[in-house]
């Protein structure tokens, strides 16, 4: 198996022999892709951060990624919609709702903003790029009829009923992982990788129809796919991501071939044959959808579970409430999603000149919506920084976004959260936090990388 990040050779490394030209061209294209999408923005963002631009600080300062809430409050204090160096930024719940639900905004992309010359360079650089979970034809990157077609097809096989049908499977997976944890010889274990990290990927493998013996291969790509959601990545991370995307793409191509010959009951098998008014997803669209399911459904849910464990151990009174009233578990999951939103940031682009919160927003401008801040907006949530599993209006949170791109995996995420957390805390009622917890070092996704606990 090719290691992620080792597939593209730099022009300097390429040996002088037949085949060198395509290798060099591929490496150059990859470098241009990184330069345009990450490298140049990184330089510009760092410069503006030094000048005090709030948005740039959010993007460039690792201390802010770990604890973004003070900065969110500075954005909120500056107004509902603030002009940043590169785009508009908002910490407001009302603005996030409005923009996400508005027909004046779309996902946008370089095509809409760049000059014809830049677009030609990007078209050239894009040749040979791996299928990316958040670039077209991924449903998360497109609007209009294409988005409607993908979304209709996927929602037809990903219904709340079919997800509820997975409850037994999710419970069995959680129980098996907890059995493994209980057998751990050491009294202190990390709850993230062996539990919070394993539950979602096992569930996604079930959805994709991956047999048990093929799952370790998918797990090789999961971190790279999750990382693909990050903005302004350094070169090494970009190469790791592209390597993982290529590896996943090769794997998924073979897997789709297998499912066509021997379809199962899983979601991907049904997508292979599902049609909408006679139209099917093409091979590339199927690959993008499978990649999106892993990228969007994996690390987000890991982070939900990790943040929930951290919050509940830090707030034993709230855990006590759940012990007395276990029916509140689904609501506790929503409160974690609100208070420590696993997806902190989403963006949109104005499709035409429009106005938001009394400000003129020109066609082509980007608006960055700080979901983590919108979910702590005091105009909507009373005492917003308090963790309260009984919070009545908790479902008003925007952790799953809103509007046309509202999370398609919402029912599954809720199910995994409820079943996973309840089972964990019931199995180990005396669980306690231990020192050494470490947050993830990502901007868009918020969670825990390492969360040591004493089980008994
Ligand atoms: C706690 C867990 C999760 C959170 C917080 C979450 C959050 C989100 C958010 C914020 C978006 C919209 C992004 C935007 O508006 O730009 C989204 C979209 C999406 N999510 Fe989730 N998600 C979670 C779990 C899942 C799971 C388990 C799956 C499936 C296996 C999934 C599949 C998707 C898909 C397919 C989309 C794209 C929908 C579209 O573009 O129409 N998500 N998710």
């Amino acid at each position: 198996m090719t290691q992620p990040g080792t597939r593209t050779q730099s022009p300097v490394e390429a040996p002088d022999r037949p085949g060198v030209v395509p290798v060099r061209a591929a490496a150059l294209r990859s470098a241009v892709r990184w330069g345009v999408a990450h490298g140049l923005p990184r330089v510009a963002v760092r410069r503006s951060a030094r000048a005090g631009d709030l948005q740039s600080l959010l993007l460039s300062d690792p201390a802010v990624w770990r604890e973004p809430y003070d900065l969110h409050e500075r954005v909120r204090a500056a107004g509902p919609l603030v002009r940043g160096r590169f785009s508009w930024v908002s910490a407001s719940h009302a603005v996030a709702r409005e923009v996400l639900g508005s027909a004046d905004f779309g996902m946008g992309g370089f095509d809409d903003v760049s000059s014809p010359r830049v677009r030609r360079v990007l078209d050239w650089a894009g040749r040979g790029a791996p299928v990316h979970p958040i670039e077209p034809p991924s449903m998360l990157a497109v609007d209009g009829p294409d988005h409607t077609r993908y979304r209709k097809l996927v929602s037809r096989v990903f219904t709340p009923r079919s997800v509820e049908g997975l409850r037994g499977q999710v419970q069995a997976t959680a129980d098996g992982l907890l059995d493994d944890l209980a057998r751990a010889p050491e009294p202190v274990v990390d709850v993230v990788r062996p539990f919070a990290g394993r539950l979602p990927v096992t569930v996604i493998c079930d959805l994709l129809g991956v047999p048990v013996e093929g799952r370790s291969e998918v797990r090789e790509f999961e971190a790279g796919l999750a990382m693909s959601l990050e903005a302004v990545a350094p070169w090494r991370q970009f190469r790791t991501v592209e390597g993982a995307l290529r590896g996943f793409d090769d794997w998924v191509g073979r897997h789709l071939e297998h499912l066509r010959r021997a379809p199962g009951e899983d979601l991907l098998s049904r997508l292979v044959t599902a049609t909408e008014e006679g139209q099917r997803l093409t091979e590339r669209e199927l690959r993008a959808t499978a990649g999106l399911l892993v990228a969007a459904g994996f690390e987000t849910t890991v982070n939900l579970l990790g943040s929930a464990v951290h919050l509940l151990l830090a707030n034993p009174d709230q855990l006590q409430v759940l012990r007395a009233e276990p029916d509140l578990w689904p609501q506790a999951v929503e409160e974690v999603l609100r208070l420590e939103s696993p997806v902190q940031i989403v963006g949109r682009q104005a499709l035409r000149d429009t106005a938001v919160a009394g400000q003129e927003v020109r066609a082509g401008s980007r608006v960055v919506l700080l979901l983590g801040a919108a979910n702590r907006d005091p105009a909507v949530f009373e005492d917003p920084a308090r963790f309260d599993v009984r919070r009545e209006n908790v479902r008003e949170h925007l952790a799953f976004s809103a509007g046309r791109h509202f999370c398609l995996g919402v029912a599954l995420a809720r199910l995994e959260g409820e079943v996973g957390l309840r089972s964990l805390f019931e199995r180990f009622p005396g669980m306690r936090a231990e020192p050494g917890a470490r947050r993830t070092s990502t901007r868009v996704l918020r969670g825990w990388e390492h969360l040591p606990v004493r089980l008994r």
Side-chain angles (χ1 to χ4, degrees):
M1 173 62 45
T2 313
Q3 283 299 308
T6 58
R7 296 184 74 96
T8 29
Q9 258 176 312
S10 80
V12 182
E13 290 159 346
D16 193 12
R17 56 182 164 73
V20 68
V21 174
V23 171
R24 278 189 176 164
L28 194 59
R29 283 195 183 106
S30 174
V32 171
R33 285 198 292 279
W34 173 77
V36 173
H38 302 272
L40 294 175
R42 264 167 74 80
V43 174
V45 158
R46 284 203 184 138
R47 197 169 295 160
S48 311
R50 281 197 292 275
D53 177 59
L54 293 178
Q55 178 190 16
S56 306
L57 282 167
L58 262 172
L59 284 171
S60 66
D61 185 347
V64 172
W65 312 337
R66 284 191 288 276
E67 274 320 314
Y69 300 122
D70 284 351
L71 202 98
H72 287 181
E73 291 317 312
R74 285 172 64 191
V75 175
R76 201 188 312 285
L81 188 66
V82 181
R83 183 77 224 164
R85 168 78 180 77
F86 304 100
S87 67
W88 295 92
V89 193
S90 178
S92 149
H93 187 278
V95 168
R97 258 216 113 77
E98 180 181 341
V99 170
L100 292 169
S102 163
D104 290 344
F105 287 89
M107 298 313 267
F110 287 109
D111 285 3
D112 308 325
V113 283
S114 21
S115 70
R117 192 183 289 170
V118 174
R119 230 174 297 156
R120 269 201 303 278
V121 173
L122 288 174
D123 284 347
W124 172 83
R127 261 182 262 153
V131 177
H132 196 292
I134 53 168
E135 285 170 18
S138 160
M139 91 171 83
L140 195 47
V142 297
D143 290 304
D146 277 341
H147 178 255
T148 311
R149 182 166 63 89
Y150 303 151
R151 184 135 181 147
K152 263 191 177 166
L153 275 162
V154 180
S155 338
R156 270 181 42 184
V157 296
F158 209 13
T159 58
R161 216 167 127 213
S162 67
V163 171
E164 197 44 44
L166 295 171
R167 183 175 281 271
Q169 236 164 301
V170 174
Q171 184 67 63
T173 305
D175 290 343
L177 295 172
L178 292 173
D179 289 345
D180 292 346
L181 265 192
R183 279 194 290 269
E186 334 62 68
V188 176
V189 297
D190 170 25
V191 85
V192 177
R193 289 302 136 194
F195 182 70
R198 289 299 289 275
L199 183 63
V201 77
T202 311
V203 171
I204 290 169
C205 283
D206 286 339
L207 289 183
L208 299 184
V210 186
V212 174
E213 59 280 7
R215 294 185 177 186
S216 56
E217 210 174 333
V218 177
R219 284 208 297 271
E220 278 183 44
F221 310 123
E222 67 193 20
L225 262 75
M227 203 62 99
S228 68
L229 305 181
E230 284 295 306
V232 287
W235 169 239
R236 277 178 66 158
Q237 181 181 321
F238 173 81
R239 296 231 316 175
T240 305
V241 167
E242 284 219 335
L245 295 181
R246 262 181 233 289
F248 182 78
D249 196 37
D250 286 350
W251 171 84
V252 90
R254 280 180 274 125
H255 183 58
L256 284 168
E257 250 175 64
H258 165 76
L259 294 185
R260 282 195 186 96
R261 283 196 310 272
E265 284 302 301
D266 56 278
L267 177 135
L268 197 56
S269 289
R270 279 182 281 148
L271 263 187
V272 168
T273 48
T275 53
E276 180 65 31
E277 287 160 6
Q279 283 188 305
R280 283 192 181 175
L281 292 180
T282 64
E283 172 79 13
R284 197 171 161 84
E285 290 165 349
L286 276 168
R287 289 178 184 215
T289 305
L292 177 61
L293 289 178
V294 181
F298 167 63
E299 195 78 11
T300 47
T301 316
V302 178
N303 290 343
L304 161 65
L305 295 170
S307 293
V309 172
H310 180 258
L311 280 170
L312 286 165
L313 293 180
N315 294 275
D317 59 320
Q318 297 298 301
L319 195 52
Q320 212 42 52
V321 172
L322 292 169
R323 291 219 165 95
E325 294 173 65
D327 286 355
L328 284 177
W329 271 109
Q331 197 161 327
V333 169
E334 300 304 319
E335 177 66 348
V336 175
L337 287 161
R338 181 193 73 80
L339 193 62
E340 289 285 29
S341 305
V343 178
Q344 287 277 310
I345 302 173
V346 294
R348 293 294 187 269
Q349 188 163 29
L351 302 173
R352 50 191 77 87
D353 290 350
T354 181
V356 177
Q359 307 260 23
E360 266 180 49
V361 177
R362 304 294 300 271
S365 314
R366 284 201 75 77
V367 178
V368 169
L369 303 165
L370 304 173
L371 293 185
N375 288 336
R376 290 172 173 233
D377 189 335
V380 179
F381 301 106
E382 201 190 314
D383 196 0
R386 185 161 51 91
F387 179 53
D388 176 4
V389 298
R390 290 182 190 277
R391 188 179 289 278
E392 274 178 10
N393 68 340
V394 65
R395 285 222 173 207
E396 288 183 48
H397 72 70
L398 299 172
F400 292 114
S401 190
R404 295 182 298 283
H405 291 274
F406 181 69
C407 176
L408 206 61
V410 61
L412 183 59
R414 286 179 167 143
L415 177 69
E416 288 182 59
E418 183 202 329
V419 170
L421 292 167
R422 190 174 167 169
S423 310
L424 174 71
F425 282 95
E426 282 179 0
R427 177 73 75 94
F428 302 111
M431 188 164 63
R432 284 203 322 262
E434 285 284 319
R438 198 174 54 242
R439 283 209 169 274
T440 49
S441 51
T442 42
R443 284 153 264 222
V444 176
L445 302 179
R446 177 167 177 79
W448 293 93
E449 199 167 287
H450 187 57
L451 210 50
V453 295
R454 185 173 292 273
L455 290 174
R456 297 178 199 85

